[in-house]
Amino acid sequence: MTEKSGVVNHSSILESISEIFLVMNLDMEVIWLNRPALVVLGDSENQILGKKCHDIWHHSSENCTNCPAKECISNRTCSDGVIKTPHGKVWYIRCSPILDPETHEITSVLEFRRDITENYRLNQDLKKSEEKYRNIVETAREGIWEVDPFGETLYVNDRMARMLGFTLEEMKNVKLKELLQGAHTSNG
């Protein structure tokens, strides 16, 4: 790859990327990693190279359950997943096979890793909050019906459906405008 001013140094490109990248051989041993990976791990390159991926990230002698790198190797294609470490960090991991240019056999795996711990926790908190809200709404004595600007049902609780003489399933197709027009016609 060249630019107008000359040759681009590929290693300087990889070192300047803020995301974590590492390369592992087929035995899951780290054979290269970029500076951000070293910073996160807090070790020197000499302390990490040659160690197995699951050892440096999880301090475990066992492969991760649902390991994207193992899946990448066995399927000969890109693989991704979310892995949680024993320390509570949650990582999004995407792995790509590195192929020998002549034999097209997998020689190693490139792993991209992003810390998604904060987003994961926020998502978990949101799910808990939604669960609480749904429980309150579904057990309410009052009828609750949420419609969009076009009068189409977004949500309705059982109490509201019964008050209007419908089942929850039937309420999915009830439009507010049609219901109001029907009530106006029957009263008029």
Side-chain angles (χ1 to χ4, degrees), residues 126-177:
L126 180 61
K127 283 180 182 178
K128 287 178 187 173
S129 176
E130 286 174 346
E131 236 175 76
K132 278 185 193 176
Y133 170 75
R134 183 167 303 281
N135 188 39
I136 291 168
V137 169
E138 287 177 355
T139 59
R141 291 183 170 199
E142 294 80 19
I144 299 172
W145 186 12
E146 181 183 7
V147 295
D148 67 12
F150 304 104
E152 294 186 17
T153 300
L154 297 173
Y155 174 82
V156 63
N157 69 354
D158 185 57
R159 178 75 174 139
M160 177 58 86
R162 285 187 288 129
M163 288 169 63
L164 296 171
F166 296 101
T167 66
L168 280 174
E169 191 63 32
E170 291 170 332
M171 282 298 295
K172 290 178 183 176
N173 300 316
V174 173
K175 292 183 176 48
L176 178 62
K177 184 177 179 181

Side-chain angles (χ1 to χ4, degrees), residues 19-35:
E19 282 81 11
I20 293 170
F21 285 97
L22 53 101
V23 177
M24 297 172 286
N25 63 22
L26 300 182
D27 292 325
M28 308 302 290
E29 296 167 336
V30 176
I31 56 176
W32 179 86
L33 67 164
N34 68 351
R35 190 169 290 115

